[in-house]
Structures are given as structure tokens and as C-alpha cells.
Amino acid sequence: MPNAPKSFFWYELMTTDLDAAEAFYTEVVGWRPEPFEKSPGMPRYIVVNAGDRGVGGLMTLPEDAAKMGMPPAWVGYIYTRDIEASVASLTKAGGAVHRAPDDIPGVGRFAVVADPQGAGFMFLQPNGPDQPPVPLGTPGHIGWHELFATDWQKAFDFYSGQFGWAKGDPFDMGPMGIYQLFTAGAEPIGGMMNKPEQMSVPAWLFYFNVPAIDAAAKRVTDRGGKVVMGPMEVPSGQWIVQCQDPQGAYFAMVAPGR
């Protein structure tokens, strides 16, 4: 699939309390955690699995990032076959490189970058064969990607130019503006909107698939997290909830029903 649109394919939590985060997400999302031991000498890393497939990883927030004021956060990795070319293209289009391409032993090459409006993400050029993509609604996987931008139209132009994403349907949310669906292939995989004023910086938000939203929201609050929005029904007929984990990282969940 040399010319297929590129998208997110790995997700990572950087947190201030790795043990607490592992326990929280295991209970809330239902992931199966396992330590990643293929990179000797690297900081402790916990892979979270849905079934027999890894979905993402949990790690301690690096000291230099914490000193720069980065809060605990989920970040997404966008696939690339040539990380140097991807970083050069992003830079030319006005994006920022926070960490130049570097090796993760036994995994691949990664870079820490941001779009021109400041929303951060990572590139990963993995070693080894590609894994087949999973359907968007697969339990325990990521079911939606949401970008809060300062100008979603310019943001869309950037991501479309870099990764081949296309526009899906727009939804008019009244005073909150337009919510623009985007596709990376046949189906919409996410949406973009202008961020609310109370949100300090543009950012990506990732939605984890769960079976039922009310029970999932209760698991969040029972285990020390917060529900910041929802549960609410969205135009697709699904239900969503936006949350903050006990260490402060934002995440969301999506379910086929309440």
C-alpha cells in the first residue's frame, strides 16, 4: 500500500505514575498489560493489548518533558516508511520538530513533531513487517481521532497535504462551529474542530472503544478519574464520554450504546 493514506497506528501515554496508570486503564478499558522487554536499557514500558494485538504503550513522562511543563498526556504515532522524508516534508509545511529522528532499539525510528498550530504527535518508522489494520470499531482499539485546532480548515489542509486525508461530512454544531469529519481510506476515522476558548493549546484526543458508555464512565470515576463531558449521543448513534485520568491525562471513550 505505497500510496495509501497514512494515519495513526500506535498510541502512548506519558504519565507521572506508571503503576497507577497501568491499574487504571486495565480496569477502565479492559486492556491486558505486559512489560515490553525487547529494548534493553530503555526506560520501563508497558504494552497494552486488546486480545492478542498491541494497541499502545504506557511510560513515565520523560524528565526533560516534565521540566518543560508537559502534563501527562496521550500521544499518537503516525506511520511512515521514511521518517527523514516525513520530517522534512512536515518542516517545509510549517510544522515543528521537537525531537529529531532517533532509534528505538528493536522497534524502529521515531520523531516528536507538531503541526503548524502546535498539536503534537509522533512519527514512527517501524522495523519488521506491517501489521494489517484493524476495523475502527474493534473492542479495546481506538475508535476515533479528534483534533482541536485554532483553525481547523488550515489544519485539515496540512494533514491532507502530508498524509492524504480527505474530507468526510461536516456537522454544524451551532455556536461551537463546524465539526469536519476526515477519512484516511474509505471510512471516516476522526473529526476536526476549532478548540473551545478554555482549551489552552491545540491537541489530539483519542477515543477508546468500550462496550457500553455508562458503565465505562462509572469505572473512570470509581477509580479516581474525572468525566469532563458526557455521556452524550453523537450523530453516528454511538455514545461518547470525555475523561481525565487520575494523573491528569485526557482521553475519551466511544461505545455502540449506553
Side-chain angles (χ1 to χ4, degrees):
M1 50 172 208
N3 297 314
K6 300 291 181 278
S7 186
F8 294 102
F9 75 122
W10 190 256
Y11 307 85
E12 195 165 87
L13 174 69
M14 292 190 248
T15 182
T16 49
D17 188 333
L18 190 50
D19 290 331
E22 178 184 4
F24 176 83
Y25 287 101
T26 298
E27 291 293 333
V28 168
V29 187
W31 286 324
R32 176 178 58 81
E34 61 176 330
F36 182 77
E37 292 164 340
K38 293 177 187 167
S39 295
M42 296 293 282
R44 184 173 160 224
Y45 195 89
I46 295 163
V47 173
V48 291
N49 299 277
D52 58 359
R53 180 83 175 253
V55 176
L58 315 177
M59 64 179 285
T60 299
L61 182 66
E63 202 173 315
D64 53 349
K67 279 182 183 162
M68 286 165 58
M70 180 180 168
W74 279 95
V75 294
Y77 283 81
I78 291 180
Y79 176 94
T80 176
R81 287 186 186 278
D82 182 342
I83 197 163
E84 271 75 15
S86 293
V87 165
S89 176
L90 169 132
T91 306
K92 191 177 175 185
V97 178
H98 295 307
R99 181 163 176 181
D102 199 1
D103 289 306
I104 307 171
V107 175
R109 283 175 69 69
F110 82 108
V112 184
V113 298
D115 70 23
Q117 295 173 38
F121 62 95
M122 312 269 219
F123 280 123
L124 183 63
Q125 179 186 327
N127 297 345
D130 294 348
Q131 284 196 300
V134 295
L136 207 59
T138 306
H141 284 260
I142 279 63
W144 200 245
H145 311 81
E146 200 161 77
L147 177 65
F148 295 90
T150 46
D151 181 331
W152 73 259
Q153 289 165 306
K154 286 183 178 172
F156 174 81
D157 291 343
F158 168 80
Y159 287 99
S160 171
Q162 296 301 302
F163 307 122
W165 298 355
K167 281 184 179 174
D169 294 330
F171 286 97
D172 188 339
M173 300 186 296
M176 293 172 69
I178 297 294
Y179 187 84
Q180 177 65 56
L181 302 191
F182 64 89
T183 66
E187 298 291 319
I189 63 161
M192 299 182 182
M193 64 181 284
N194 288 348
K195 69 180 182 65
E197 283 181 16
Q198 65 267 29
M199 198 172 168
S200 55
V201 291
W204 280 99
L205 180 67
F206 305 109
Y207 286 73
F208 310 136
N209 293 319
V210 292
I213 214 69
D214 288 341
K218 186 174 186 300
R219 291 194 296 273
V220 170
T221 53
D222 283 353
R223 287 161 178 81
K226 288 180 197 162
V227 169
V228 294
M229 194 199 80
M232 67 176 280
E233 193 174 10
V234 290
S236 63
Q238 295 170 298
W239 285 78
I240 63 165
V241 65
Q242 295 177 355
C243 308
Q244 218 176 354
D245 72 20
Q247 286 71 49
Y250 287 95
F251 69 101
M253 295 181 287
V254 57
R258 292 207 74 159

